[in-house]
Amino acid sequence: MDDAIPHSGLPDTDTTVPKPQDGHSMDEALELIGFGKVQIVLSILSGVSMMTVVNEAVGMSIVLPVAQCDLHFSAWEKGIIGGSMLLGIMFSSFCWGFLSDTRGRQLVLKYTLFATSFFGAISSLATGFISLVVLRFLTGVFVAAPASTVYAYLGEFTTPSRRSQTLSFASVMGGVGIVYVSLVDWLILSYNWSFVVCDFFEFKAWRLLFIINTLPAFLNGIAFCFCPESPKFLVSRGRSKEALEILKKVYKANKGTDNADGYEVTSRRRNNGLCCTAAKRNTRNRSGGMQ
């Protein structure tokens, strides 16, 4: 029996990507594009997506005690409102997982982030218990998608040796969300102001919190409009040529080159991989271009 070599899980700068005869696997193709600015940007955007869930949950715990003065909620009503978003997450998670595997990660992330920000902002117009419960439930339905899909999306753009690091970095952004909500909400609630819209509706500071808390989701949705689809998802749907074009763009961005001539993967699939061209690169480049 061959001696087993333990793997620490840390990046291995000496990792090589052997050139198979029948084509590269997706992980090998990712090693060839290397780790660079594209993965860093996607890590930040993915972290903001995870941050949106914290914003909506923690923000509601700050809003409810203040809103009680105007809407006169009882203790059990506050409990139902606080749990309605979590109920929406529970009921919709399976649906978003199915859609992200059949329609695309980037597509689901983009539209659900916009929907989350929409229903989060509309919650500021709630006038009673029923309307607020419905709006928070719908917010939870849509925020469930970026809370889960973003892990697959980021992981499918990252080289295997750096995947755990990027996912850990993105997860830390949840803590940033707690700081963001706490500081911004404290600042807004420090001022006692109101704006009378009509005889039966008055826009107060606590209503603005809904909009402020969901603002990162809206901005992140705009950012994801300019992000590519996951190449691994495209390959799984038989769209290998599109996947290759995305891999080439990532390669050029990471390497800072105007062309992808050094990228030795072609568009033809073979054995669930991407076929490679004749060797064009030296031994160092075959190591995945890790910086």
Side-chain angles (χ1 to χ4, degrees):
M1 181 181 297
D2 296 332
D3 294 336
I5 300 176
H7 190 273
S8 64
L10 296 176
D12 185 2
T13 56
D14 295 329
T15 300
T16 59
V17 181
K19 181 178 180 300
Q21 297 298 320
D22 58 349
H24 287 108
S25 68
M26 180 54 65
D27 281 347
E28 291 167 342
L30 289 173
E31 288 286 359
L32 289 171
I33 66 175
F35 183 90
K37 63 180 72 175
V38 173
Q39 284 78 12
I40 293 174
V41 171
L42 291 180
S43 296
I44 296 173
L45 294 180
S46 299
V48 176
S49 294
M50 298 177 190
M51 176 180 165
T52 59
V53 186
V54 177
N55 287 7
E56 297 295 343
V58 176
M60 198 64 217
S61 66
I62 297 176
V63 170
L64 275 177
V66 186
Q68 182 181 6
C69 299
D70 293 321
L71 302 181
H72 309 291
F73 294 134
S74 63
W76 72 270
E77 286 177 332
K78 288 193 294 183
I80 293 177
I81 293 172
S84 58
M85 192 191 81
L86 301 178
L87 193 65
I89 293 176
M90 182 182 71
F91 275 102
S92 62
S93 294
F94 177 83
C95 175
W96 294 126
F98 172 77
L99 289 175
S100 66
D101 286 339
T102 55
R103 300 297 181 182
R105 284 82 158 94
Q106 185 261 1
L107 188 71
V108 169
L109 282 169
K110 175 176 61 177
Y111 287 117
T112 54
L113 283 167
F114 282 133
T116 298
S117 62
F118 173 77
F119 286 108
I122 292 298
S123 298
S124 64
L125 304 179
T127 56
F129 170 72
I130 298 298
S131 60
L132 191 55
V133 166
V134 172
L135 289 171
R136 297 316 295 170
F137 175 81
L138 292 174
T139 302
V141 166
F142 289 102
V143 83
S148 56
T149 305
V150 72
Y151 284 98
Y153 180 80
L154 178 59
E156 291 170 1
F157 269 101
T158 310
T159 57
S161 58
R162 296 290 187 94
R163 191 167 293 154
S164 59
Q165 287 180 315
T166 54
L167 291 176
S168 297
F169 172 79
S171 298
V172 171
M173 293 292 287
V176 176
I178 297 177
V179 177
Y180 168 83
V181 170
S182 301
L183 289 179
V184 175
D185 289 10
W186 168 77
L187 180 63
I188 293 176
L189 292 177
S190 298
Y191 300 93
N192 186 17
W193 56 269
S194 62
F195 178 73
V196 178
V197 178
C198 56
D199 294 338
F200 57 88
F201 184 81
E202 189 175 3
F203 196 91
K204 292 189 175 182
W206 64 267
R207 293 185 180 275
L208 180 61
L209 299 186
F210 285 109
I211 300 175
I212 297 298
N213 293 341
T214 200
L215 183 60
F218 177 73
L219 298 177
N220 207 30
I222 295 176
F224 268 108
C225 290
F226 302 95
C227 293
E229 183 56 86
S230 162
K232 188 171 184 178
F233 165 78
L234 294 174
V235 169
S236 70
R237 307 304 294 178
R239 297 158 62 183
S240 301
K241 291 184 178 180
E242 296 178 50
L244 178 65
E245 291 304 314
I246 292 175
L247 288 171
K248 286 182 176 179
K249 290 179 181 179
V250 175
Y251 175 85
K252 289 189 290 184
N254 283 348
K255 304 298 181 182
T257 61
D258 296 329
N259 58 69
D261 293 341
Y263 192 58
E264 57 182 23
V265 178
T266 67
S267 60
R268 186 160 58 92
R269 289 189 63 195
R270 184 184 298 170
N271 295 334
N272 199 30
L274 295 169
C275 187
C276 63
T277 62
K280 296 180 180 178
R281 307 167 68 189
N282 56 29
T283 304
R284 180 183 177 183
N285 286 340
R286 288 198 188 99
S287 66
M290 301 294 291
Q291 299 297 327

